[in-house]
Amino acid sequence: MAKDGPNWDGLLKWSIANSDGTQPTRNLSEEDRRWFMEAMQAQSVDVVKRMKEITLVMQTPEQVLEAQGVTAADIEGMLDELQEHVESIDMANGKVSYLALFSFLFRLFYLVVNAPCVLPCPIYLHSIGGLVPLLGYLKNSHANIRAKAAEVVTTIVQNNERSQQLVMEANGLEPLLSNFTSDPDVTVRTKALGAISSLIRHNKPGSIAFRLANGYAALRDALSSENVRFQRKALNLVHYLLHENSSDCSVVSELGFPRIMLHLASSEDAEVREASLRGLLELARDKSGETSGRVTDVNDDKLKQILQERINGICLMSPEDLGAAREERHLVDSLWQTYFNEPSSLQEKGLLVLPGEDAPAPAPDVASKHFESPLRAWAANPSADRTTQTETKATPLLLGLGTAPSTADVQESSGATENGNNTSGREQ
C-alpha cells in the first residue's frame, strides 16, 4: 500500500544533515545523486499508481469485490488512503498543497546541483475516472463507507471552485442531500451535511440548488436532533446562508427556526449556544422584510428569560472560561440591545470587555533604528538622507524688486505709519 513507498523520514533527515549550515558545502557523489533521483521518481510513480489502483477498485462492482474477498473495512481503509493523498498532494488541482512538502523538496533541489526537481505527478482525480465512482460510494450499503466517501468529497471541494464545479456537474449534490435528509445513520447525515456545506460555500449555483431542494427544511430537522455535532454544522450553515442572502430570513422565520434557536441557546454545548445566538442576531438585524428589528415567532419575555439565564451563567464562570466565552458575551449583549434598546447588565458588571481584551497596540519599534548601523540604515534608504538635506537648505537670497505687496499689506503699513506719527505728536 502507500507505506511501501520511499522512506520520507530518511530523506528529511538526510536533507537536514546536509543543509543545516554546520558543514561546508560539498559536491554530491554520483551515488548520492542517483539515490535521490530514484527516491523522488519512485514516490511520483507510487502516487500515480496508487491513485489509478484505487480508481480501479472504486469502478469494480461491489459483488465482484465481495467475491474476491474484499471487505467493507478494506474499502474504508482505501478511502482513508485516498483522503490522505488528496490532503497532502492536491490531486484535484494538480498542485502540492502543503508548504512543508514544498520546503522539503526545494531544500533537496538546491542540494542537488544541476538535478531537476521531480514533484509528484499532478494527476486530476476526475481525469482518471475516480470522481464518479467516489460519488457512487455515497450510496453504498455500508454506513461507514458512505460516511468516509462524504469526508473525501469534503476534502476535495473545500475552498476549491474548480472541484465544486466538477462535483456539481457529476450530480454529486443529489446523493449528499439524500444522505443528509434521510440516512438512518446520524454519522452519515452529519458527514453529508459537512460535504454539502463545503460544496455550496461561495458557490452560487450550489446554494441555489440547495434552496430549491428544500434544504432549509432539512436543516430545521437537523436542529431538532439530539446530536450536538449535527446541530453545530446545521447552525453554521444556516448562519452562512442568511449572511449571504438576507432575503432568506423570512423563509427561515416561517419555518420556525427562531423558536428552535431560542431553545438551543440554552444548550450545554458552548458552540451550539454561540451558533444559536448568532443566528438569532442575524435574523434580528435583517432589514429586508417583516423581520426588521425583530424576529417573528419569538416571545420577548421568553428571550429575556433565556438571555438573563446566560448572563447569570456567565457571572459564575471562572476567569479562564470567561476568556473562552468572549463571543458569547458579546452576542448576549448585542441581542439584549437589539430587542430591549438598552445595554445588558454584563456592561455594568464589567464582564462584556475584560481587562486586556482591548489592549492598545504595541508601541512602534524605535530602538532598533537607534542601534542600527548608520551605514546600513543609509544603504536601506539612501534617498531619505538626500531629501532631508534638500529640505534643510537655506532659502536662497533673491535679488531684484521681488513681488509687489498686496493692497492689504499697503493699507496695514500706512495705518501703522499714521499711528506712529500720531503717537509721536502726542509725545511731543
Side-chain angles (χ1 to χ4, degrees):
M1 302 296 284
K3 295 183 179 179
D4 296 333
N7 184 356
W8 282 105
D9 290 338
L11 278 171
L12 180 59
K13 292 178 181 179
W14 177 86
S15 66
I16 294 175
N18 286 272
S19 63
D20 60 1
T22 60
Q23 300 179 8
T25 58
R26 63 181 179 86
N27 294 326
L28 294 178
S29 64
E30 287 299 325
E31 182 180 358
D32 288 339
R33 192 191 305 270
R34 185 169 54 255
W35 171 82
F36 163 72
M37 294 302 298
E38 289 177 356
M40 298 300 293
Q41 291 174 357
Q43 174 64 10
S44 299
V45 173
D46 181 68
V47 172
V48 175
K49 182 180 178 182
R50 284 302 302 154
M51 293 292 290
K52 289 184 177 180
E53 290 174 351
I54 291 173
T55 298
L56 180 61
V57 173
M58 291 192 298
Q59 292 172 340
T60 304
E62 184 177 357
Q63 299 82 357
V64 176
L65 294 176
E66 291 178 353
Q68 296 179 359
V70 179
T71 65
D74 295 331
I75 300 297
E76 188 178 354
M78 180 193 69
L79 292 176
D80 269 327
E81 181 186 348
L82 176 61
Q83 187 174 11
E84 289 179 4
H85 289 315
V86 174
E87 286 177 343
S88 60
I89 303 171
D90 192 355
M91 300 301 289
N93 278 326
K95 63 183 180 183
V96 177
S97 59
Y98 276 147
L99 181 60
L101 184 57
F102 257 130
S103 176
F104 169 52
L105 292 177
F106 277 112
R107 174 178 290 183
L108 293 178
F109 170 74
Y110 282 111
L111 282 173
V112 183
V113 182
N114 297 325
C117 182
V118 183
L119 294 175
C121 192
I123 298 179
Y124 294 87
L125 179 62
H126 71 91
S127 68
I128 57 176
L131 181 58
V132 173
L134 171 63
L135 297 175
Y137 273 133
L138 294 171
K139 303 177 183 179
N140 193 274
S141 58
H142 298 277
N144 290 344
I145 294 179
R146 296 195 301 272
K148 178 54 66 174
E151 277 191 54
V152 180
V153 173
T154 301
T155 305
I156 291 175
V157 301
Q158 196 166 26
N159 300 321
N160 193 315
E161 181 180 355
R162 176 57 178 160
S163 295
Q164 290 173 340
Q165 180 183 357
L166 291 172
V167 172
M168 293 294 295
E169 292 175 354
N171 295 324
L173 181 59
E174 181 180 349
L176 288 172
L177 283 170
S178 177
N179 289 358
F180 166 47
T181 57
S182 58
D183 198 282
D185 190 288
V186 67
T187 302
V188 176
R189 297 182 67 189
T190 304
K191 299 293 185 181
L193 176 56
I196 291 172
S197 180
S198 297
L199 178 60
I200 69 176
R201 194 172 294 268
H202 307 300
N203 176 12
K204 189 173 182 180
S207 299
I208 294 175
F210 179 78
R211 292 185 180 94
L212 293 177
N214 206 16
Y216 275 120
L219 288 172
R220 180 191 57 190
D221 295 339
L223 294 181
S224 302
S225 72
E226 299 297 327
N227 188 282
V228 172
R229 188 175 182 184
F230 200 26
Q231 292 173 346
R232 286 200 299 258
K233 287 185 177 293
L235 286 168
N236 289 332
L237 183 54
V238 169
H239 178 260
Y240 167 76
L241 291 172
L242 294 180
H243 185 73
E244 290 294 310
N245 191 357
S246 59
S247 62
D248 288 352
C249 289
S250 58
V251 177
V252 167
S253 297
E254 292 174 1
L255 289 174
F257 276 77
R259 285 186 291 104
I260 301 175
M261 290 180 178
L262 198 60
H263 171 71
L264 294 177
S266 300
S267 172
E268 295 182 359
D269 185 82
E271 294 185 29
V272 170
R273 289 198 308 269
E274 291 179 4
S276 301
L277 294 171
R278 197 181 304 118
L280 288 171
L281 186 60
E282 190 72 34
L283 290 172
R285 288 176 172 175
D286 173 44
K287 306 298 181 184
S288 63
E290 298 178 356
T291 60
S292 177
R294 275 290 190 272
V295 178
T296 59
D297 204 23
V298 169
N299 183 279
D300 286 1
D301 294 335
K302 180 65 175 177
L303 177 62
K304 178 177 284 189
Q305 176 187 348
I306 290 179
L307 292 179
Q308 187 60 54
E309 290 175 356
R310 291 311 316 140
I311 292 174
N312 296 338
I314 291 172
C315 293
L316 298 176
M317 287 183 178
S318 64
E320 293 79 8
D321 292 337
L322 280 174
R326 179 177 183 177
E327 184 176 0
E328 183 179 0
R329 289 185 278 117
H330 285 272
L331 287 170
V332 169
D333 183 73
S334 297
L335 270 172
W336 192 284
Q337 292 192 58
T338 301
Y339 270 86
F340 309 116
N341 298 319
E342 62 180 10
S344 70
S345 58
L346 289 175
Q347 295 192 28
E348 180 183 351
K349 297 177 181 180
L351 296 176
L352 183 60
V353 179
L354 301 180
E357 285 187 343
D358 286 343
D365 182 16
V366 295
S368 61
K369 296 182 179 179
H370 290 288
F371 292 100
E372 188 177 23
S373 169
L375 181 60
R376 180 178 298 178
W378 179 87
N381 191 11
S383 60
D385 186 58
R386 290 195 295 269
T387 303
T388 304
Q389 292 179 1
T390 303
E391 293 176 351
T392 56
K393 285 183 179 180
T395 304
L397 179 63
L398 299 179
L399 300 178
L401 296 177
T403 57
S406 63
T407 305
D409 293 336
V410 172
Q411 292 176 353
E412 183 179 355
S413 176
S414 301
T417 304
E418 293 176 1
N419 292 336
N421 293 336
N422 294 337
T423 304
S424 300
R426 287 194 298 269
E427 289 177 351
Q428 291 176 354

